[in-house]
Amino acid sequence: MNATLLAVAHGTRDPEGVRTVLALLNEVRRLRPGLRVEPAWLGLVEPSVPQALASLTGPVIAVPLLLASGYHVRADIPALLAEAEAEPGTVRVTPALGPSPLLARALASRLGEAGRPPDASPVVLAATGSSDPRARADTAESARLLSTHLNAPVSVAFASGQGPTPAEAISAWHTAGHPDVSLAAHLLAPGHFARTLTRTAARWTSAPLGTHPSVAELVLRRYDACDLTMMAINA
């Protein structure tokens, strides 16, 4: 029996953000017919992780729908899973989605959709921010991967915590003599932060990653890698 894929999202008050996550899971189901894919949320939206697990039987692989390995991935999700796990060893959790070349591909695609030409003009990768140094390091690595994919310079900005902010990062590029700066939204779904990004001085601003096929593929890659490990342990 295949393990259920439990997709654990952050949670949002924005209805469009919820719809986007659920649409992404529909894309995952389309790519893998027959695989049971269920959502769970860390807050604000139901089902919560314990509620979702209570409705499932058999092995479960939890895939955090988060773009960096901050506190939620390292502590919150494993603790919630362990607390709700009915039978030890039946639930496993994968790494975060990012950093990954597949995310770089999706980010580049969204920038192209926003109108950014295929040139070497600079990009600011804008993330929500975290006080966790591992999450910040993951975001920096995502910027490096995007830079390699685009063959263009990419700097990092954060909405919270230690800066620079998106506005500051864009201003720094302008001061350095680059009038055309793109802003890449390092976000999975629409919400408050995504809306603030549309009000910066960037020439082009990408939409959140959403249902991009590379994101759905990455969710399945995380699941498959963990499923192989689980089968090896149980063999």
Side-chain angles (χ1 to χ4, degrees), residues 141-163:
E141 175 63 9
S142 289
R144 187 193 69 78
L145 291 169
L146 180 59
S147 177
T148 299
H149 189 91
L150 293 173
N151 194 27
V154 179
S155 62
V156 174
F158 299 98
S160 61
Q162 185 178 354

Side-chain angles (χ1 to χ4, degrees), residues 68-84:
S69 55
Y71 188 80
H72 283 316
V73 175
R74 295 189 297 103
D76 286 346
I77 293 175
L80 287 169
L81 294 172
E83 181 180 344

Side-chain angles (χ1 to χ4, degrees), residues 124-128 155-160 163-173 181-184 193 196-198 200-202:
V124 173
L125 182 70
T128 53
S155 62
V156 174
F158 299 98
S160 61
T165 65
E168 289 169 343
I170 293 166
S171 178
W173 283 117
V181 181
S182 303
L183 191 62
F193 180 42
T196 67
L197 295 183
T198 65
T200 73

